[in-house]
Amino acid sequence: MNNEKEDWALEQDLKYNRLTAFKLFAMTSSMVISVDELAPFGKTGATALFYLLIAGIAWFIPITQMAGEMASIDGWEKGGIFTWVKGSLGDKMGWTAMFYQWIHITVGMDTMMYVIIGALSIAFGTPWFNTTPIVRFILMMIILWGATAIQVIGIRKIGRIAEWLFILGIALPVILLIISFFVYLAQGHPVHMVINWHTIVPHQLNGTTLVAFVPFMLAFCGGEASAPHVKNLDHPKSYSKVMLALAATAICFDLLGSMAIGMTVPKSEIQNSTGFVYTYGKLLTSIGLPGDLLQKIVGVMLACGIIGELGNWIAGPNQGMYEAAKEGYMPKFFAKTTKHGVPIRIMILQSAIVTISALLITFTSGADADFAFNVSLAATTAQYLMVYMIMLIAYMVLKKKHEDYHRMYYMSKNPKLSIAIAILALIITVVAFFVTFVPAQGTAAGLRGIYVWTLIGMCAIVSILPLVLYHWHEKWQKQ
């Protein structure tokens, strides 16, 4: 009888959670490739080219390849970063890394929702969506809890939805933006950015240039978040190829998308939460198309695409937290799933934390939508970089002490080269982490203190919580 139940459970898991390589690419792409940061990139100017290449080549590609190597180790295919760090640095650090990864997105979801609301405010001609705190918060709650509720249908169906929302809401609008940008250039319209050696490479290393670099790090965060789904791939060995394709696609999308915004719209007119959709209207009107109408359509498409991204961020890291809950790092109450294997209790907990962070940031910022966007962006970046610091150290320990572990994929067969690459990525990560606490350019003087202390408070709470929870894990393991 037990064997029949186990066979049925396995059949259900395969039915609802099996993924093709493209489906995993779509799910992960909607976590990494986003338009959230394109407006800030375009605002940065020509140096965006330099920052994207540094962040993409020296940081993102190594990170995804390290994730691919660790995910391919025998016995490490479940739990993602929790399992990887645990295998190299022990239980406490594995749990801490998993918790950081899980909770960082609570603020990151706020950033996504601000862009969704900004897009809808233009699409429907309702700017008060974006400038009235209570309206903004109500809309955020509808989006958040709606995306949480839909998770009950299972990973396989979420993956299918993610494919379409990514294609229609993110990939297609960005591709059309880039095509329109080339038409704009071909017609000889003026450009608002000069691209040459002097403008691309920052010639001074100071607070302004370093702060400008931080959003480019966040643009490439998340490539490893879908690693817990590697067990669901039809061919697990294709994971590393999916990650490499993702890296190349992300760099190209961000490079061309940010240039399309920065070169066609004056810097003073670019707003972080609405810049992408605003650029569409202005750009399409310039090349002789009905920009006002098309930007409304694009606004709705973009909102749908980011909602799909939001849904995947609810699904991805929560799979790792579920594995941790089963091992007693959280109360056993959270080690329960639906019949489709969805850890809905953990997802509800996460969405409750998102609600609290949204309440804090939205009403602190008042009518200043860009301040709310900048705070949530910086807090998301700082908390996620804490994950990567631990992950990179764990990878170096793996290459130093456990090269004998069998794995299907290697970033490099030379352990010393692998460690050197990881050290470079770690240096970039540490510098970027401390820079996130410097207020973004354009922050009002009266809000700079709130900006810094909000970030410090969030990072302090996040640092302490996993250690407090770990203190009780022996009791929970016995339950």
Side-chain angles (χ1 to χ4, degrees):
M1 190 69 172
N2 287 335
N3 289 337
E4 289 180 6
K5 287 183 178 179
E6 289 176 5
D7 291 343
W8 181 85
L10 178 61
E11 182 183 342
Q12 292 302 304
D13 181 67
L14 292 173
K15 178 180 178 182
Y16 287 98
N17 297 330
R18 180 57 63 198
L19 296 173
T20 63
F22 180 75
K23 198 162 288 181
L24 181 66
F25 175 82
M27 288 180 71
T28 315
S29 295
S30 64
M31 293 178 178
V32 176
I33 301 174
S34 178
V35 300
D36 299 13
E37 299 92 5
L38 290 185
F41 292 173
K43 216 170 183 177
T44 301
T47 50
L49 290 167
F50 177 80
Y51 292 143
L52 278 169
L53 289 174
I54 293 295
I57 295 172
W59 191 78
F60 179 61
I61 290 179
I63 288 285
T64 55
Q65 296 308 296
M66 292 175 207
E69 180 172 345
M70 290 189 284
S72 73
I73 292 176
D74 291 349
W76 287 24
E77 65 274 5
K78 287 186 178 181
I81 201 166
F82 168 66
T83 303
W84 309 338
V85 175
K86 177 185 173 183
S88 294
L89 301 179
D91 288 1
K92 182 184 286 189
M93 292 308 297
W95 159 248
T96 301
M98 183 68 249
F99 186 87
Y100 288 170
Q101 185 194 50
W102 177 74
I103 204 168
H104 97 279
I105 199 58
T106 57
V107 185
M109 290 179 188
D110 294 332
T111 310
M112 296 176 204
M113 289 188 286
Y114 289 139
V115 176
I116 292 170
I117 293 168
L120 293 177
S121 71
I122 291 180
F124 299 140
T126 51
W128 47 273
F129 276 11
N130 214 28
T131 56
T132 309
I134 185 64
V135 173
R136 201 186 322 156
F137 180 74
I138 291 171
L139 290 173
M140 291 171 78
M141 293 302 98
I142 293 172
I143 295 166
L144 171 66
W145 290 100
T148 302
I150 202 173
Q151 299 296 321
V152 299
I153 66 177
I155 295 169
R156 183 185 179 190
K157 291 184 178 179
I158 290 292
R160 189 179 301 138
I161 293 170
E163 285 181 31
W164 286 105
L165 289 180
F166 171 70
I167 292 170
L168 297 176
I170 294 178
L172 185 59
V174 173
I175 290 171
L176 292 176
L177 176 71
I178 293 169
I179 293 172
S180 301
F181 170 56
F182 285 135
V183 172
Y184 179 92
L185 294 179
Q187 290 181 351
H189 294 287
V191 294
H192 301 279
M193 182 191 302
V194 178
I195 299 180
N196 56 44
W197 174 257
H198 296 288
T199 58
I200 291 175
V201 179
H203 296 284
Q204 290 184 335
L205 191 63
N206 53 37
T208 301
T209 56
L210 289 174
V211 169
F213 177 65
V214 169
F216 295 88
M217 296 286 288
L218 184 60
F220 293 109
C221 287
E224 82 302 327
S226 62
H229 298 313
V230 70
K231 66 183 185 298
N232 299 321
L233 273 173
D234 291 332
H235 304 288
K237 289 185 178 180
S238 64
Y239 177 81
S240 59
K241 295 178 182 178
V242 171
M243 292 300 104
L244 192 59
L246 174 65
T249 306
I251 291 172
C252 291
F253 264 54
D254 286 336
L255 274 173
L256 295 173
S258 59
M259 290 301 98
I261 293 175
M263 295 184 73
T264 59
V265 178
K267 183 177 180 179
S268 60
E269 295 182 18
I270 300 174
Q271 282 193 314
N272 289 339
S273 58
T274 59
F276 184 87
V277 180
Y278 175 78
T279 298
Y280 247 105
K282 193 173 181 64
L283 183 57
L284 294 176
T285 300
S286 298
I287 63 175
L289 295 174
D292 288 345
L293 173 63
L294 292 176
Q295 85 171 354
K296 294 180 185 299
I297 296 172
V298 168
V300 174
M301 291 170 64
L302 174 63
C304 292
I306 300 178
I307 288 172
E309 178 184 10
L310 184 73
N312 277 325
W313 270 115
I314 293 173
N318 279 314
Q319 293 295 323
M321 283 297 283
Y322 169 64
E323 295 295 331
K326 286 198 299 183
E327 295 187 29
Y329 293 89
M330 295 178 71
K332 290 296 183 180
F333 173 82
F334 295 105
K336 304 288 184 182
T337 65
T338 66
K339 65 180 181 180
H340 297 160
V342 178
I344 193 66
R345 294 180 179 180
I346 292 178
M347 292 178 180
I348 291 173
L349 174 63
Q350 184 188 54
S351 295
I353 297 172
V354 176
T355 300
I356 295 170
S357 66
L359 193 67
L360 173 66
I361 297 173
T362 302
F363 287 99
T364 300
S365 63
D368 192 336
D370 262 13
F371 177 78
F373 178 92
N374 291 338
V375 170
S376 59
L377 186 71
T380 304
T381 306
Q383 291 174 15
Y384 213 155
L385 293 178
M386 291 161 66
V387 177
Y388 287 115
M389 289 180 205
I390 298 174
M391 174 182 159
L392 289 165
I393 293 170
Y395 181 78
M396 287 187 276
V397 172
L398 172 69
K399 300 301 289 186
K400 184 73 175 176
K401 296 183 177 180
H402 306 297
E403 192 65 0
D404 58 321
Y405 288 2
H406 179 263
R407 65 207 75 180
M408 292 186 293
Y409 174 75
Y410 288 84
M411 180 173 72
S412 168
K413 286 293 183 75
N414 185 336
K416 291 183 179 178
L417 176 60
S418 296
I419 291 173
I421 294 172
I423 289 172
L424 174 61
L426 181 61
I427 291 170
I428 294 173
T429 305
V430 171
V431 171
F433 172 75
F434 285 106
V435 171
T436 57
F437 293 91
V438 179
Q441 189 175 9
T443 302
L447 294 174
R448 293 177 73 85
I450 295 174
Y451 184 103
V452 174
W453 285 108
T454 299
L455 293 187
I456 291 174
M458 286 183 171
C459 288
I461 292 171
V462 167
S463 299
I464 294 169
L465 271 178
L467 302 178
V468 173
L469 293 173
Y470 186 81
H471 177 74
W472 297 97
H473 86 286
E474 290 185 2
K475 176 184 176 181
W476 292 331
Q477 284 176 336
K478 296 175 183 177
Q479 290 180 348

